Amino acid sequence: MPRTGVKRAFKYRFYPTDEQAAELSRTFGCVRKVYNLALAARTEAWILRQERVNYNATSAMLTAWKKSEELAYLNEVSSVPLQQALRHLQMAFAGFFSKRAKYPRFKSKRKSRASAEYTRSAFTYRKGALTLARVAGPLAIVWSRPLPAGAEPTTVTVSRDGAGRWHVSLLCEDAAVQLLPALSTAVGIDAGLDHLLTLSTGEKIANLRSERRDRERLAKAQHVLSRKARGNGANRSKARQRVARIHARIADRRRDHLHKLTTRLVRENQTLVIEDLNVRNMVKNRRLARAISDASWSEFRSLLEYKAQWYGREVIAVDRWFPSSKLCSICGTLANAMPLNIRNWVCDGCDTTHDRDVNAARNLLAAGRAASACGDGVRPQRKPPGGRSSVKQETPAREG
């Protein structure tokens, strides 16, 4: 039986009036304040009394805070984003106690994302006009793509990024996202830096190196920022926003490329086998941190997994210590050593000449198929022998 669709967020730019911008900025500040107050209260209760404070308790605290003279300004904004902030905190603690996430952190005015979430009771959407509670007039949204036919937003999130751009995200049910017809094709995917991806088919996908294209401009903007007097001055704020705009352009270019790439891979293959990389540890290598971050392997995996779930595909992650580079994909002979500067090698067992990355992708595909046949899915993690650091075997010794 076909699905009715999936919940999907549609993000758009909008340009608020001065009055709207002031109201939304005030709302962002109140959301951040409520989140931090609730986090402080929950942390204090746990440290001093070993007591877990739930959402209902923090909601009661919010009512008391609004009645106090010091926090009376919380009444000036819509109450819905404030309640949603408490729900987000509850989800953060749920992730922490289930050991899926770290302990929640306090929100910073400069470093944290400025956003507010509105549920159906706090916005109206009619004929392409979106109006938020306590905000005068509809938002001037640039509808770069239409919402799904007949879709009604269930949640609206308004945000402002470091570059000063305003975005609105509408969560709707997209009936157009349906399970794709099953295929017999499978592909192994080896991530790298010289090439972003190498497929078991032999195809190599270029690494855009998005950050490098703007590195000179970014370095100049950061140098100008470093010379501005620290504080909240207008000149430093402008310089900081100039740096943020360059970072945003880099991130947008990278994300667009990854979206197109993952959509293509999911549509063309039923099974996709990747390597379970520990990127967080890999970026501790100072010589490679910039290149690894620019490649954005974690974002690639995240996009691949949720799109595979949308369209009925399977993603298998092979244990990161599987010797995909040193194992001959033809006869199974394991090479004793495989220095990172060797990009082509000859198997001692069958005299086959291998491209290092293509061979690794083919080995990943074979390992993924074996894991799928055994019903394992994601291979279990093993601690590396001898306490080796978690560094990808195929990563070149220096940034290319």
Side-chain angles (χ1 to χ4, degrees):
M1 183 177 179
R3 293 182 307 191
T4 57
V6 298
K7 288 288 186 180
R8 186 177 180 183
F10 292 81
K11 191 173 182 179
Y12 303 92
R13 286 282 300 272
F14 77 96
Y15 297 86
T17 63
D18 291 343
E19 184 181 358
Q20 290 174 336
E23 178 62 31
L24 291 172
S25 297
R26 191 181 305 114
T27 303
F28 295 158
C30 291
V31 166
R32 184 175 60 251
K33 181 67 173 180
V34 168
Y35 185 95
N36 288 342
L37 285 173
L39 176 55
R42 295 181 70 146
T43 302
E44 181 182 354
W46 177 253
I47 292 176
L48 298 182
R49 302 184 296 275
Q50 294 295 296
E51 175 187 345
R52 289 192 183 185
V53 177
N54 59 20
Y55 164 76
N56 292 332
T58 54
S59 183
M61 292 178 188
L62 175 59
T63 302
W65 293 335
K66 287 183 173 182
K67 293 179 180 178
S68 67
E69 183 177 350
E70 181 183 2
L71 299 174
Y73 60 85
L74 295 177
N75 292 291
E76 299 175 4
V77 302
S78 172
S79 62
V80 172
L82 306 184
Q83 292 288 348
Q84 290 301 101
L86 299 180
R87 290 189 175 91
H88 293 164
L89 180 61
Q90 177 66 27
M91 293 171 60
F93 270 102
F96 168 72
F97 286 122
S98 63
K99 297 183 180 180
R100 291 182 288 106
K102 291 185 177 181
Y103 193 83
R105 295 183 296 178
F106 290 96
K107 291 185 179 293
S108 165
K109 183 176 182 180
R110 289 182 181 174
K111 296 182 180 180
S112 299
R113 176 170 172 260
S115 65
E117 186 176 275
Y118 296 79
T119 56
R120 281 178 171 172
S121 61
F123 71 85
T124 57
Y125 176 76
R126 293 189 184 92
K127 298 180 180 179
L130 177 67
T131 305
L132 305 176
R134 300 289 184 96
V135 176
L139 302 181
I141 300 174
V142 179
W143 298 101
S144 53
R145 53 177 173 167
L147 287 177
E152 287 294 329
T154 56
T155 304
V156 171
T157 302
V158 181
S159 61
R160 183 186 62 226
D161 62 17
R165 302 180 302 179
W166 294 82
H167 294 93
V168 58
S169 180
L170 293 84
L171 184 65
C172 308
E173 184 173 289
D174 188 359
V177 178
Q178 297 290 338
L179 298 178
L180 293 175
L183 301 173
S184 59
T185 54
V187 66
I189 304 171
D190 180 68
L193 296 180
D194 287 340
H195 294 89
L196 179 62
L197 301 175
T198 301
L199 308 185
S200 56
T201 58
E203 179 184 357
K204 294 189 175 183
I205 298 171
N207 186 353
L208 291 185
R209 291 183 170 86
S210 302
E211 184 270 343
R212 179 184 292 181
R213 291 171 58 179
D214 280 322
R215 185 175 297 175
E216 184 176 344
R217 185 182 292 113
L218 179 61
K220 182 177 180 181
Q222 289 173 328
H223 177 70
V224 172
L225 174 61
S226 69
R227 295 176 62 86
K228 301 297 181 184
R230 292 188 176 276
N232 297 320
N235 287 337
R236 184 173 179 83
S237 178
K238 290 178 182 178
R240 187 187 300 113
Q241 195 169 93
R242 208 169 293 124
V243 172
R245 280 200 295 267
I246 298 174
H247 277 299
R249 182 164 56 249
I250 293 171
D252 289 346
R253 186 187 305 131
R254 180 191 302 124
R255 190 179 303 111
D256 178 69
H257 178 59
L258 291 178
H259 267 295
K260 293 175 180 176
L261 180 58
T262 51
T263 298
R264 194 201 94 185
L265 290 173
V266 167
R267 290 185 180 276
E268 293 178 354
N269 299 279
Q270 181 66 32
T271 303
L272 305 103
V273 185
I274 59 176
E275 193 173 5
D276 189 27
L277 300 175
N278 189 343
V279 179
R280 181 174 296 179
N281 281 348
M282 293 171 66
V283 295
K284 293 179 181 178
N285 183 331
R286 294 187 177 182
R287 297 175 65 187
L288 297 172
R290 173 180 278 179
I292 292 172
S293 298
D294 191 29
S296 197
W297 294 329
S298 294
E299 186 173 9
F300 166 76
R301 176 172 177 172
S302 176
L303 296 177
L304 192 70
E305 288 179 335
Y306 85 70
K307 290 180 182 181
Q309 185 178 14
W310 277 5
Y311 297 111
R313 303 309 198 206
E314 181 184 21
V315 175
I316 301 174
V318 174
D319 179 24
R320 71 187 66 132
W321 298 112
F322 175 70
S324 58
S325 292
K326 299 191 294 183
L327 189 67
C328 175
S329 58
I330 302 298
C331 68
T333 300
L334 184 63
N336 292 327
M338 188 65 60
L340 293 172
N341 62 329
I342 296 179
R343 310 314 298 174
N344 295 277
W345 60 283
V346 179
C347 173
D348 294 333
C350 62
D351 293 329
T352 302
T353 301
H354 290 294
D355 178 288
R356 180 192 186 104
D357 298 330
V358 175
N359 178 68
R362 289 172 178 168
N363 282 324
L364 289 173
L365 175 59
R369 280 175 165 163
S372 180
C374 296
D376 292 341
V378 177
R379 297 276 296 273
Q381 297 302 299
R382 302 192 304 270
K383 292 184 179 180
R388 287 181 294 169
S389 62
S390 181
V391 177
K392 178 173 168 59
Q393 301 298 306
E394 292 75 15
T395 303
R398 65 182 63 185
E399 181 185 351

